Amino acid sequence: MIDIINRQRARKTNAKECRKFTERALAAIRSESRYVSIVFVSDSAIRRLNRQFRKKDYATDVLSFPNESEPFENENQSQLGEIVISVQRAAAQAKENGLTFSNEVEQLILHGLLHLCGYDHETDNGEMNRLELKLRKKLGI
């Protein structure tokens, strides 16, 4: 199940398109997990999250929060976690890169999904970036 949650009012989002793309991306990644939440927020909200969880005091485009079971719980393999996207950053980046807003959001969803699947572009010598570019081509974004 893919939950799309809209916590902002700056820009309209298409939950049906996001859900459909996320399903395709999960299949392309070959993730066994099929449950993820995607939350659309404002710049100020993502800045607070970035400051709280990463100690970085600025708005970013996307944050990923992998599901982590408590020690007393059975590990829930079906729940990947949450992806939080700033619609304001996505709109600005789409304009800067000559993309549609929808394509930029798809790129951010894909990027977030790869993080939820354990990839980390800050430590993996380019593995995540290469895979992301390959999947963008495969998914048509």
Side-chain angles (χ1 to χ4, degrees), residues 44-127:
S44 59
I46 207 161
R47 181 178 182 169
R48 282 191 304 274
L49 291 169
N50 204 22
R51 183 174 48 236
Q52 180 180 355
F53 292 100
R54 298 182 67 226
K55 309 297 185 238
K56 298 186 182 208
D57 191 17
Y58 57 86
T60 188
D61 52 1
V62 62
L63 292 171
S64 300
F65 297 96
N67 183 50
E68 296 177 4
S69 300
E70 296 295 328
F72 57 86
E73 294 179 310
N74 289 332
E75 192 170 326
N76 185 354
Q77 298 278 338
S78 65
Q79 166 66 325
L80 276 176
E82 287 186 355
I83 297 169
V84 181
I85 295 173
S86 165
V87 295
Q88 290 158 304
R89 291 297 322 132
Q93 289 175 181
K95 188 175 181 177
E96 289 168 16
N97 298 318
L99 298 171
T100 65
F101 176 74
S102 179
N103 279 133
E104 181 67 22
V105 167
E106 289 173 347
Q107 287 185 17
L108 295 175
I109 290 171
L110 177 60
H111 188 85
L113 288 172
L114 289 172
H115 276 300
L116 293 181
C117 289
Y119 292 93
D120 186 355
H121 55 83
E122 293 180 5
T123 61
D124 71 3
N125 296 319
E127 180 184 1

